[in-house]
Amino acid sequence: MNDDALLTEQMAYYRVGAAQYDRPYAEYEALQELLAVVDDLPIAGDVLELACGTGQWTPRLAARAQSVTAVDASSEVLDLARARTASPTVQFLQADLFQWQPPRRYDTVFFAFWLSHVPPTRLPHFWHTVASALAPGGKAIFIDDGPTAAAYEEVLANQPAPAALRRLDDGSQYRIVKVFHDAQTLKDDLTTLGWSVHIRTMAAHFIGIAEPPPHP
């Protein structure tokens, strides 16, 4: 089955629901604790942040980076991210991450709660894109939901990719891609692709640090 319609619906959800995006960060202590983890991660140099959303992570990255290029497909969340981020070293860019190719290399590629929105059939290409965006010695750092987080989602069956149903305050409903990666399986899959990876769990989430295969 083709997943284009599902991804279009996913993008619409984040555009229409931009004003609700930050609510979980205010409501869940576990997310607040995750945000603080940034200070302990090897974030350095020029950073590329994929799917930056409303910029919850962006100022924290900017505090540790030489520069941050923050990319998202939704102009609505980018407007909120710009309002949250005063750093002159941050550049925001609107682009569809399933089609965009980084024009240069970065020391760190960071993405939080994005990997779970990538359909499994597109993961090898996604990781190839991340690898191509990393400078020699660079690292990919990623944070996302683990399998136990599925209990808090309305998981859908018979979809073109693993999916969940999300509802907004106006009553509208949207399907989104939602893959609850098991840390060990994800590590094995990345190792098969040639990555060197370490993943640790933190409550219902996981934090990964990975280095790509050597550039030819």
Side-chain angles (χ1 to χ4, degrees):
M1 291 188 288
N2 191 299
D3 56 22
D4 287 344
L6 183 56
L7 291 174
T8 298
E9 207 167 316
Q10 173 171 276
M11 189 181 298
Y13 167 76
Y14 282 106
R15 293 190 65 185
V16 177
Q20 296 177 221
Y21 186 101
D22 291 328
R23 194 174 295 164
Y25 286 92
E27 293 178 351
Y28 297 110
E29 186 177 346
L31 285 177
Q32 297 165 19
E33 292 172 354
L34 265 183
L35 286 169
V37 167
V38 168
D39 291 337
D40 299 322
L41 296 174
I43 294 159
D46 294 320
V47 174
L48 172 63
E49 183 185 8
L50 302 177
C52 66
T54 60
Q56 284 282 349
W57 304 84
T58 312
R60 292 167 170 83
L61 299 175
R64 302 182 58 82
Q66 182 174 327
S67 72
V68 177
T69 301
V71 186
D72 201 283
S74 165
S75 60
E76 289 82 356
V77 297
L78 285 172
D79 287 344
L80 296 172
R82 288 188 183 96
R84 169 176 276 132
T85 309
S87 174
T89 61
V90 177
Q91 173 190 5
F92 291 98
L93 177 64
Q94 183 180 358
D96 181 348
L97 292 178
F98 291 109
Q99 301 186 22
W100 181 72
Q101 290 295 316
R104 51 160 293 192
R105 295 184 188 272
Y106 299 84
D107 302 297
T108 308
V109 176
F110 177 90
F111 40 103
F113 300 104
W114 170 244
L115 190 63
S116 58
H117 294 319
V118 179
T121 57
R122 300 187 184 225
L123 275 176
H125 177 74
F126 171 73
W127 285 111
H128 177 75
T129 299
V130 173
S132 70
L134 284 168
K139 293 179 173 63
I141 299 174
F142 47 97
I143 296 171
D144 218 311
D145 292 313
T148 59
Y152 304 98
E153 295 276 4
E154 189 172 339
V155 177
L156 299 174
N158 302 315
Q159 301 294 317
L165 188 69
R166 295 271 182 91
R167 292 178 169 84
L168 296 175
D169 289 346
D170 64 3
S172 59
Q173 299 182 158
Y174 300 84
R175 295 175 304 159
I176 63 163
V177 175
K178 193 63 180 175
V179 183
F180 299 97
H181 289 282
D182 171 75
Q184 186 59 52
T185 302
L186 180 58
K187 181 178 179 179
D188 292 345
D189 291 346
L190 278 170
T191 300
T192 299
L193 293 173
W195 288 73
S196 172
V197 57
H198 173 76
I199 300 176
R200 66 184 174 98
T201 57
M202 184 173 173
H205 308 105
F206 62 81
I207 303 163
I209 302 172
E211 297 181 44
H215 291 298

